[in-house]
Amino acid sequence: MATEIYRDAWGIPHLRAADALELARCQGRVTALDRAWQLEVERHRTQGTSAAFLGADAVGWDVFARRARLDDTARHCYATLERRDPETAAWVRAYTDGVNAGLGEGARRAPEFAATGLAPGRWEPWTPLGVWLATHILFAGFPAKLWRDQVVAHLGADAVALFATDGPGTSGSNGWLVSGERSVTGLPLLAGDPHRYIEDPGVYQQVRLFCPEFDVVGFAVPGVPGIAHFGHTGTAAWAITNAMADYQDLYEERIRRAGTGVEALDPDGEWRPAHVHREVVEVAGGESGEVEVEVIETGRGPVVIGGPDDGRTATISLRYPPRVTGDLGFSALLPLLRARRVADIDRALDLWAEPVNVVHAADTEGGLLHRVAGHVPVRAEVNRTRLARAWEPGHEWQGRHETPYGTVDNGLAVMANQRGPSTPLGVEFAPPHRAARIRALLEERDQWSADDLSAVHMDTHLASAGPLLGLISALDGLDGLSAGEAELRDRLLRWDRRMDADSTDAASYAALRSAVVRRLAAHPAFAALAVPPAYPEVFRPWLALLPRIAFALEGLLKTEELYGIDRAALVREAVTEVAADPTTGVATWGERHRLVPWRALPTTSHSAYDEQALSGDHDCVLCTSSVPGLNDLSARGPAARYVWDLARREDSLWVVPLGASGVPGSAHNRDQLPLWTRGELVPVVTDWTRLTKEN
C-alpha cells in the first residue's frame, strides 16, 4: 500500500500507509505541511532558542528551558527509549524523518518564516520528546510551591488553604463517561474538553491514522507521533483529564563557588561538585543581542532560580521524573493505537509517565475504565506542598506511587479536576462545581445519544457566584442605596447565574466581582504578597496576588474571618463603583469576554482577526477563563471538544477552536471557530469514499 493522504470537508488529514513506520513518516510530513511554523516554534522553545527570532519577549522562557535542561532531558529519554523499547524509538525517528521531509514546503506556505527571517531547521529523533516535555513541564504547576512559601512567610501556614484552588496557570479539563445502560445505543459514550491556553495554531490536531495494524481517530499534539490523549480505535476509546497530581519537587539549595566549579551541600553534610556550564541565548533585536546563562545541576536536579552569585533570591533546583528516570512514557503510545479493548488501554497506561492524568476508557463490549495514569514519586509530605531543604535528609524519592482506580457510579463517571481518585497524589484541586454540574445534567436523562451530549459542553451555570450574591442580599449596609445601586442589586439577585454571552446581568456580575477582587488585592492585609520575590518571569503567573485573589474569591468570601477585613463594606463600595459605570446593564458579557489566543507572533498582520464573543467562565462547565480584576478577556478554555461513540465511531463528534491548518489565510485555518464558539461539533468521517484524496 502506498502512503495516502485524504482530507475531509474540514481539511482534517486521514492518513493510510502499509505499516506503522510509514504511517509515522506520513504523520510527520503532513504535520510539517499543515503546521510548519508551530513545529519550529515548539522545537526552538524546547532548545531555548526561540528568542533568536521572536525577540526579547521569549527570553524568559528560553532561559528557563536552558536552566531546566529540557533538550538534554529529551536526549536522555530518547537514549533510554532506544535501549528499552527500540520499536518505539524507530517509530519516533520515522516521524521526525517525515517532519524533515515536509518542513521545507511547509515553511514556504507559512508567512511567519518570511516575517521573522527564520529558516526551517532539522528535527532530531529526540525532538518530539522535547516538544512533549516543554508542553507539559508547567502542567502540574510546581511554581505553586513558591507561592505557598510566600503565603506561609507573610500570613502563616493556616493561610495556605485559603488559596488552595486551581488557578490561572493550571491546565484543567472536563471528562465524562456514560455507560451503555445510560445510552440510547446500549454502548458507552465518552465526552469532554481539555482546558488549556488557546493557542494559534491550536495545541490539538485532529487526525486519522490507518495501517493494517490499527485505524485510530483522535487529537494529536503537533510534533509528537501518534494520538496520546484522546483517541478512538473503532472498538475502544480513551480520554484524559488533568489529575492535579503533584510529581515535581523544588529544593532550596546551599551552593558555593569552588575554584572554577560550583559545589552543593548534600543531605549527608558533604559539599559535592555540581554540574556547571555556560550557554548563550541569542535575542533578536535586543540591545546586547545575547544573554549568558549559567546552567547548574545538583544532585537534586537543575537549578532554575538563583545561583551562587545571585543575592536576590534563594537558589532553587527542580526535580522532575523524566530527568531522574529517563522515561517520558512514550512506550505507551503504540500500544494505545493498537488497543482493541479497555484491558489493552489499561496495560498501555501502566507505561505512562507524564503528565499525570485521570483516564476514562470504554469499548464495544461494554468494558469501562476509570483510573489515574503517570509517574508520581513517593517522598516526604513537605516535598508535595512547599520547598524542601536540599541539605536536610528525608526528602529523597523512594520509588513511585501505585496509581489509583476510580469507580463508575449509576452508569456515570465524571472528572473535572476535582478531588477524586487522584486525591492522595495531589495538593490543589478545582472546586467541585463543574463536576457536580456535569453529573446533575447527565442524571436528568435516563439515556443519552452522542448528539445530545454536546449540550453539556456548553452549560454556563456559575455555582461559585453564590457567596458574593449572598453578601449582596444580606448586607444591611445596602439599605438606603441610590436608585442605580438598588436596581443593580435587584437585577443580580434575580439573575439566573448563567454566564451567557448575550447576558447584561452576567456582565454586571463580572464587573462587581472584579471590583471586589481589586479591593481585596489592595487591602493592607495582603500587602506583603503584592510584590513577589525576584523569581524569573516564567513563574509570575503563579505568584501574582490579584489572580490568586480572583480564583480563590469564593473561599475568601465564605471563610468565617479574613484578617479583620470588612468584606461587607468592601462589597458595598464595589456596588457603588459598578452602578456608577454607564455601561452597567447595557454591555453584554460577550462584549467583554472575548477570545484572545496565544500567538508566538502577536503583532503581525497574519494574527489579526475579530475576536469571538464567548459565553462561560472559569467555574462553568463551559470553562472559558479570564482573570477577574484584571480584564474579562479569555486566553484559556476548551482546546478541543469531543464525543466518542462506541456504538458507531462515525457518529462521534469533535471540534477545535480554530481549524486543522496552521497556515494563516488557508481555507481550514479558522473554519471551525464559529462552530466552536456556538458549541457545535464536526462529524467524524470514517468512510474513505467521502474523503478527498490528495495528489
Side-chain angles (χ1 to χ4, degrees):
M1 180 193 296
T3 299
E4 296 174 332
I5 302 171
Y6 290 76
R7 304 272 185 178
D8 65 13
W10 303 98
I12 297 167
H14 295 241
L15 312 178
R16 287 207 295 202
D19 56 44
L21 284 180
E22 285 302 317
L23 191 58
R25 287 191 188 91
C26 187
Q27 186 185 6
R29 180 172 177 274
V30 165
T31 304
L33 295 175
D34 289 354
R35 306 286 187 104
W37 169 249
Q38 181 182 25
L39 288 186
E40 283 296 86
V41 169
E42 293 305 319
R43 181 176 68 82
H44 281 281
R45 281 171 56 81
T46 296
Q47 298 173 169
T49 53
S50 62
F53 60 99
L54 295 178
D57 288 347
V59 169
W61 169 267
D62 280 0
V63 170
F64 168 72
R66 302 290 189 101
R67 299 188 76 177
R69 309 198 73 183
L70 299 187
D71 189 57
D72 185 72
T73 302
R75 291 170 187 251
H76 175 43
C77 289
Y78 185 76
T80 304
L81 194 66
E82 280 189 306
R83 291 197 308 273
R84 296 178 182 171
D85 184 1
E87 182 194 24
T88 297
W91 177 70
V92 175
R93 191 182 310 113
Y95 180 89
T96 59
D97 289 345
V99 171
N100 288 323
L103 262 184
E105 183 179 343
R108 286 190 289 276
R109 297 179 182 182
E112 296 95 337
F113 285 89
T116 58
L118 179 68
R122 178 170 181 76
W123 278 52
E124 302 294 346
W126 56 85
T127 305
L129 286 80
V131 169
W132 187 260
L133 191 55
T135 301
H136 296 107
I137 187 68
L138 297 173
F139 190 88
F142 70 81
K145 295 175 182 179
L146 301 173
W147 164 258
R148 291 187 207 119
D149 255 37
Q150 293 302 303
V151 171
V152 171
H154 297 297
L155 297 179
D158 292 343
V160 170
L162 289 172
F163 299 94
T165 183
D166 64 328
T170 308
S171 294
S173 31
N174 298 322
W176 57 95
L177 180 159
V178 178
S179 71
E181 66 192 71
R182 298 189 71 112
S183 81
V184 296
T185 66
L187 287 175
L189 297 160
L190 299 177
D193 50 341
H195 308 149
R196 292 174 178 254
Y197 285 105
I198 304 298
E199 301 181 14
D200 182 6
V203 69
Y204 284 117
Q205 171 196 31
Q206 297 146 300
V207 69
R208 181 184 187 184
L209 304 175
F210 178 95
C211 69
E213 276 192 282
F214 49 79
D215 176 6
V216 188
V217 298
F219 296 96
V221 172
V224 177
I227 294 168
H229 283 162
F230 309 95
H232 194 322
T233 72
T235 59
W238 72 95
I240 62 98
T241 57
N242 184 353
M244 312 298 282
D246 182 87
Y247 51 90
Q248 303 157 318
D249 285 349
L250 290 174
Y251 290 84
E252 183 179 356
E253 299 275 359
R254 286 183 175 169
I255 201 167
R256 69 185 184 189
R257 296 277 179 203
T260 58
V262 172
E263 290 181 337
L265 184 59
D266 284 349
D268 60 2
E270 294 291 327
W271 287 90
R272 290 190 172 84
H275 169 92
V276 59
H277 72 273
R278 293 183 180 276
E279 300 182 8
V280 173
V281 174
E282 296 182 11
V283 186
E287 293 183 4
S288 65
E290 59 184 39
V291 174
E292 186 174 87
V293 180
E294 185 176 37
V295 178
I296 301 172
E297 183 164 9
T298 73
R300 272 62 59 192
V303 170
V304 295
I305 296 173
D309 306 324
D310 190 340
R312 298 172 302 166
T313 71
T315 298
I316 298 171
S317 63
L318 169 65
R319 189 172 180 84
Y320 54 103
R323 187 70 192 159
V324 176
T325 65
D327 179 18
L328 205 49
F330 270 41
S331 289
L333 298 181
L334 273 170
L336 281 172
L337 296 177
R338 292 166 174 155
R340 296 291 180 269
R341 299 286 176 255
V342 293
D344 303 323
I345 295 172
D346 195 21
R347 281 192 293 273
L349 293 174
D350 288 338
L351 304 172
W352 192 266
E354 75 169 53
V356 179
N357 295 322
V358 177
V359 184
H360 289 159
D363 65 33
T364 52
E365 293 183 351
L368 305 174
L369 178 68
H370 180 191
R371 65 164 289 182
V372 180
H375 186 121
V376 180
V378 176
R379 73 279 204 213
E381 181 66 20
V382 68
N383 291 41
R384 291 171 7 106
T385 54
R386 295 176 55 193
L387 272 63
R389 292 178 174 175
W391 60 90
E392 294 181 350
H395 301 297
E396 300 81 5
W397 288 10
Q398 300 172 337
R400 59 185 291 178
H401 280 280
E402 292 291 327
T403 46
Y405 283 75
T407 59
V408 178
D409 303 318
N410 194 24
L412 301 171
V414 178
M415 286 305 302
N417 316 122
Q418 82 283 20
R419 293 181 183 276
S422 62
T423 297
L425 308 178
V427 177
E428 294 180 355
F429 294 84
H433 304 310
R434 283 186 283 119
R437 181 65 178 171
I438 292 168
R439 177 169 282 277
L441 291 169
L442 293 175
E443 288 181 340
E444 286 178 358
R445 295 190 187 186
D446 293 331
Q447 292 188 318
W448 286 86
S449 70
D451 282 337
D452 295 336
L453 280 180
S454 60
V456 178
H457 288 117
M458 297 298 289
D459 187 79
T460 60
H461 185 263
L462 186 66
S464 61
L468 180 52
L469 295 177
L471 276 174
I472 293 174
S473 66
L475 285 175
D476 294 336
L478 289 178
D479 292 341
L481 298 173
S482 70
E485 292 165 350
E487 193 271 341
L488 172 62
R489 179 197 60 183
D490 293 345
R491 279 198 302 109
L492 289 177
L493 294 180
R494 292 195 303 268
W495 174 46
D496 61 6
R497 302 192 187 187
R498 290 188 174 277
M499 298 298 285
D500 294 330
D502 61 358
S503 170
T504 56
D505 292 343
S508 298
Y509 168 77
L512 181 66
R513 177 178 61 182
S514 286
V516 172
V517 167
R518 286 191 294 269
R519 282 167 170 78
L520 273 176
H523 195 278
F526 298 121
L529 294 170
V531 180
Y535 291 149
E537 66 178 77
V538 72
F539 302 127
R540 288 179 188 167
W542 285 267
L543 295 165
L545 175 61
L546 187 140
R548 283 286 175 180
I549 295 280
F551 287 88
L553 183 64
E554 180 185 14
L556 295 174
L557 295 182
K558 284 198 303 185
T559 192
E560 187 173 344
E561 202 285 325
L562 187 67
Y563 306 104
I565 298 173
D566 186 346
R567 285 162 287 180
L570 186 147
V571 170
R572 176 69 177 85
E573 292 174 6
V575 168
T576 299
E577 175 190 321
V578 174
D581 185 334
T583 67
T584 297
V586 178
T588 65
W589 178 227
E591 290 176 61
R592 295 171 172 171
H593 191 53
R594 306 187 79 85
L595 181 64
V596 284
W598 179 87
R599 304 181 183 93
L601 285 180
T603 57
T604 65
S605 59
H606 322 114
S607 305
Y609 76 105
D610 185 22
E611 297 166 335
Q612 301 290 303
L614 301 177
S615 296
D617 197 52
H618 185 72
D619 287 329
C620 298
V621 176
L622 178 51
C623 184
T624 54
S625 303
S626 59
V627 181
L630 182 64
N631 63 51
D632 296 320
L633 300 176
S634 179
R636 179 181 178 274
R641 296 192 188 102
Y642 61 89
V643 178
W644 295 151
D645 191 335
L646 271 299
R648 291 180 76 247
R649 186 171 66 171
E650 52 268 42
D651 289 340
S652 298
L653 301 160
W654 54 2
V655 75
V656 293
L658 298 169
S661 172
V663 179
S666 77
H668 301 299
N669 181 234
R670 288 172 184 152
D671 56 346
Q672 296 185 50
L673 180 57
L675 303 176
W676 177 86
T677 304
R678 295 194 298 267
E680 300 173 16
L681 289 88
V682 176
V684 172
V685 178
T686 56
D687 181 351
W688 293 100
T689 66
R690 295 176 57 198
L691 305 172
T692 302
K693 187 177 180 180
E694 287 190 349
N695 293 326

